[in-house]
Amino acid sequence: MMLVKVIHSKRGDILDDDKLWNQFNTAIIEEVSPITYNSWIKNLKLLSRDDNKLYIEIPMEIYETTLKPNISTFEKIFYNLTGINYEIIFKLADKKNIEEKTNVDNYEDINNYELWQTNLNPNLNFDNFIVGESNNFAKTAAMHVAQNPGTIYNPLFIYGRSGIGKTHLMHAIGNYIVKNTKLKVLYTTSEEFMNDYTGISYTNSEDKFNYVNNFKNKYRNIDVLIIDDIQYLVGAEKTQQEFFNTFNTLHQANKQIIISSDRSPEDFKKLEDRLKSRFSWGLPVDIYPPDFDLRCRIIKSKIERYNIPINIDNDVIEYIANISQTDVRSLEGAINRLFAYTTMTLAKNINLEIAKEALGDYSSKDIYNVTDINHIQKVVAEYYGITVEMLKGKKRTINIAFPRQVAMYLCRMLTEESFIKIGLEFGARDHSTVMHNFEKIQEDLKTDEKLQEDIKNIKAKM
């Protein structure tokens, strides 16, 4: 006979583990937001209690990292329920039994197992995604979606400039789901979706019925749709209509949708409003270019994967991090070039002198010609005889407001930053303000020759 551990609360009630956990969940819902509860608490499990220690099972290590800063909330609720000051201890779930069960489920009827082309790159996973401040929130959201597809954050909309890890995260989500579930996952690009859809019109009438059925089966008879670079649907009205229908079909069936773009949903100008609103239904998350520390860790990680027996000085790693500031792809290019150079020169040790010889033009390209918001602000402020602080400030006099509009316009034209990001760099202004200023300068440039000359001169100074 199984004995259930019980304990008297300070009110004299007797609480077994199940009852205590149910009351804890009822109480904590009042303390946290619904998103926090569904993301980080709903999937927890009370394992046991031992004296003044209370053990809670977590599905992944990221849960402990996220919950520990707020552990006092857990302790307070359990004290109110039991009168005991419990020490909360998180225990990672034993995945052995889960994996064994998954393997049995997946292959118990191997002869009937449907082969499916996911288009996923198996080398892109959460383990080799290097995390820093610029991408931590995006990875956390991606991991939650991977663990709970179709339940929350649907769609997950990941946006940011090219080459900073959006595609890696999307493949990581898909690979995790494929490994741990029997769900049907499809990774595709908006270009492939568009080509498949427009192919219908080029099919003869005899085959069109089958083609349409195959198209719908490919994109709607799935559990997880991962679509990359959605911005390329802009201007394709008929394809937008079909994607709208596909989106609705999947979303209404609680199928997970994951989308990436180079801009936020609010920044799309020529995308149908009903699509933009749907992109914001779930969770839009942005990824910024990696900072210096993250760039160094990415470089070390990629060098380790080469497994080449060459000593590399630490100042070489810092040098590469300094000359490749824009994205992860530029880091990979610098590393590839460095190794190619050292292979030809038969060098046994890569020092700073060799790195500078190999990557000289990378230095001139990435350090001196990189255009970012701060650089644009400095050049514009100097050109109009004001300070950067004035550009970011609240004053609206014409001698400040006009240069501010010009600076915002150039930030949008010369960088890949979103209106939201630009607004934050101009005194935390709303993205709609930035958008209005951008459109005003864009319109004025059509007829204002003085403004055209100013823009030309400012670009020359950059």
Side-chain angles (χ1 to χ4, degrees), residues 39 136 181 185 228 266 289 293 305 322 350 380 403 409 413 436:
S39 300
N136 181 51
T181 74
V185 178
D228 214 346
E266 295 85 358
D293 176 67
R305 288 182 220 165
N322 272 316
I350 301 178
V380 171
Y409 168 82
M413 290 296 295
H436 170 75

Side-chain angles (χ1 to χ4, degrees), residues 124 126 129 134-135 138-139 142 156-174 187 226-232 258-264 285-289 327-329 416:
L124 300 177
F126 287 122
F129 185 84
S134 62
N135 59 19
K139 183 185 179 182
L156 177 66
F157 191 101
I158 306 173
Y159 65 95
R161 66 190 303 168
S162 176
I164 56 177
K166 303 188 300 297
T167 299
H168 188 143
L169 270 186
M170 298 173 85
H171 282 273
I173 296 171
Y187 168 86
I226 305 173
I227 185 162
D228 214 346
D229 291 326
I230 199 69
Q231 68 271 12
Y232 294 122
I258 304 158
I259 301 168
S260 83
S261 172
D262 64 351
R263 68 202 75 174
S264 70
V285 294
D286 55 346
I287 302 180
Y288 295 111
D327 54 57
V328 177
R329 288 176 190 161
E416 297 182 18

Side-chain angles (χ1 to χ4, degrees), residues 113 116-126 146 166-181 183-189 192 218 222-228 258:
Y113 184 75
W116 175 253
Q117 186 68 38
T118 65
N119 298 330
L120 292 169
N121 182 344
N123 297 318
L124 300 177
N125 53 58
F126 287 122
K166 303 188 300 297
T167 299
H168 188 143
L169 270 186
M170 298 173 85
H171 282 273
I173 296 171
N175 284 318
Y176 183 95
I177 294 173
V178 168
K179 180 180 179 182
N180 294 281
T181 74
L183 299 180
K184 204 172 183 179
V185 178
L186 174 66
Y187 168 86
T188 189
T189 64
E192 183 177 354
K218 177 179 179 179
I222 54 176
D223 300 296
V224 181
L225 174 62
I226 305 173
I227 185 162
D228 214 346
I258 304 158

Side-chain angles (χ1 to χ4, degrees), residues 443-459:
E443 187 65 26
D444 290 347
L445 276 170
K446 297 177 181 178
T447 56
D448 191 333
E449 294 183 0
K450 175 64 168 60
L451 178 58
Q452 294 171 7
E453 188 68 20
D454 283 351
I455 296 294
K456 179 180 177 181
N457 291 336
I458 292 170
K459 285 182 177 180

Side-chain angles (χ1 to χ4, degrees), residues 377-378 380-382 384-405 407-408 425-429:
Q377 289 174 333
K378 290 177 183 177
V380 171
E382 181 181 348
Y384 287 105
I386 59 176
T387 65
V388 173
E389 288 69 27
M390 290 178 179
L391 285 179
K392 297 181 178 182
K394 301 299 182 183
K395 289 186 177 180
R396 298 182 180 179
T397 54
I398 187 63
N399 66 311
I400 297 175
F402 178 71
R404 184 183 296 137
Q405 291 172 344
M408 289 180 176
E425 295 294 335
F426 280 83
R429 283 176 165 80

Side-chain angles (χ1 to χ4, degrees), residues 26-137:
T26 300
I28 201 163
I29 287 175
E30 302 296 324
E31 300 286 336
V32 301
S33 68
I35 288 181
T36 299
Y37 177 79
N38 288 322
S39 300
W40 302 109
I41 300 173
K42 183 179 180 180
N43 295 322
L44 304 181
K45 179 181 178 182
L46 176 59
L47 290 176
S48 63
R49 291 176 279 172
D50 183 12
D51 296 328
N52 66 333
K53 294 182 179 179
L54 190 146
Y55 299 90
I56 296 177
E57 182 183 270
I58 56 175
M60 295 184 71
E61 292 180 358
I62 188 67
Y63 278 71
E64 182 173 9
T65 304
T66 303
L67 294 172
K68 268 204 167 182
N70 301 303
I71 199 67
S72 60
T73 303
F74 283 62
E75 294 171 344
K76 180 186 72 174
I77 292 174
F78 281 116
Y79 178 79
N80 290 338
L81 293 173
T82 66
I84 298 176
N85 286 314
Y86 279 113
E87 176 187 357
I88 308 297
I89 299 175
F90 293 115
K91 303 246 336 169
L92 187 63
D94 182 5
K95 295 188 177 180
K96 183 178 179 182
N97 293 333
I98 297 174
E99 290 173 356
E100 288 177 354
K101 182 177 185 305
T102 301
N103 290 335
V104 171
D105 289 343
N106 283 340
Y107 301 106
E108 61 184 357
D109 191 6
I110 191 69
N111 292 327
N112 294 326
Y113 184 75
E114 179 184 2
L115 295 177
W116 175 253
Q117 186 68 38
T118 65
N119 298 330
L120 292 169
N121 182 344
N123 297 318
L124 300 177
N125 53 58
F126 287 122
D127 292 335
N128 56 30
F129 185 84
I130 311 301
V131 182
E133 290 186 7
S134 62
N135 59 19
N136 181 51
F137 180 61

